[in-house]
Structures are given as structure tokens and as C-alpha cells.
Amino acid sequence: MFIDTFYISFFNRFKKGFKKKAVLLAQVYITFLELSLVLLLVSFFAAFANQMKIDLMSQTKAIVLLIILAIGIWFKNWLKFTGKKRNVLNASKKRKDEPLWKLILVPIVCLILTFVFVKSIY
């Protein structure tokens, strides 16, 4: 899965400079990446529902749901990438580190597209 590849690429890139903080930085990065992908999907479906004149839920309920989802994603990443899974990913021979520009550009593009979809709603 590309999330694992992005995580281990980010971790290996910053492991030399930050040593003990690299695990936390990689976890924050991968959580931010997953949340930007979720926001992109949510904004797409919200824009689609708005075009179809479907009222799904209020804005307050959507924000609360996204906060709960963010906490769940953080917890999932904390469980997934601490310990044995990270060591297995780091030791795999087939691993290909992603370039830094791709690591930075993917979340930014997701957020820009999210902004475009949200602007189409209002």
C-alpha cells in the first residue's frame, strides 16, 4: 500500500537528522496525509450531494464526525507504525523510497483540490 511506502520513505529521510523524533514526525506526516485524502473524498461527495440537492447532515455534525475520524486515524497509525510493523517495513528488500517532492506534493494537492470542491459548494 502506498501509505506504508510514504511512511517508511518519510521516516528514513528524517531518521538521520532527528533520530528519536523521526517516528513522531513520520506519524504526524502520515496522519496529515490520510486526513487530507479523507477531506478530499468528503468534500467531493459534499459537492456532489450539493449539486444533486441532497441534504445529508448539518455542518456541525460533519465537523464533529471529522474530528472523531481524525482521532481514530491518529490512533490507528500509532498502533500500526510503532514497533514490529515499522521494523518489518524498514527491513524489506523491495522497498523503494519516494522522492521528497512527491512526499510534499501529494498532501498539498489533496488540500488544494479539497479547497476547490468546498468553494463549489458555497
Side-chain angles (χ1 to χ4, degrees), residues 30-42:
I30 210 67
T31 302
F32 180 71
L33 175 65
E34 287 184 8
L35 284 175
S36 64
L37 290 171
V38 166
L39 282 174
L40 178 62
L41 283 173
V42 167

Side-chain angles (χ1 to χ4, degrees), residues 53-65:
K53 307 287 190 236
I54 301 171
D55 189 24
L56 294 175
M57 67 174 62
S58 70
Q59 187 176 8
T60 313
K61 289 180 183 177
I63 290 172
V64 169
L65 185 63

Side-chain angles (χ1 to χ4, degrees), residues 7-108:
Y7 174 83
I8 205 67
S9 296
F10 192 89
F11 175 72
N12 286 333
R13 192 165 301 274
F14 290 97
K15 180 170 55 172
K16 297 172 190 127
F18 292 101
K19 300 202 190 270
K20 294 185 180 188
K21 295 287 183 187
V23 174
L24 179 64
L25 287 173
Q27 183 180 355
V28 168
Y29 169 75
I30 210 67
T31 302
F32 180 71
L33 175 65
E34 287 184 8
L35 284 175
S36 64
L37 290 171
V38 166
L39 282 174
L40 178 62
L41 283 173
V42 167
S43 64
F44 171 76
F45 287 122
F48 179 74
N50 188 35
Q51 290 292 323
M52 298 296 290
K53 307 287 190 236
I54 301 171
D55 189 24
L56 294 175
M57 67 174 62
S58 70
Q59 187 176 8
T60 313
K61 289 180 183 177
I63 290 172
V64 169
L65 185 63
L66 284 174
I67 290 171
I68 292 171
L69 189 63
I71 293 169
I73 288 174
W74 178 269
F75 187 68
K76 176 196 68 94
N77 287 336
W78 176 68
L79 288 175
K80 184 177 179 182
F81 292 117
T82 53
K84 192 177 273 190
K85 173 83 174 194
R86 188 188 68 223
N87 291 336
V88 168
L89 285 173
N90 211 11
S92 77
K93 297 283 184 196
K94 299 181 211 174
R95 186 189 78 222
K96 183 186 100 170
D97 284 343
E98 298 292 334
L100 185 60
W101 65 268
K102 189 185 281 187
L103 293 174
I104 294 170
L105 206 59
V106 169
I108 292 173

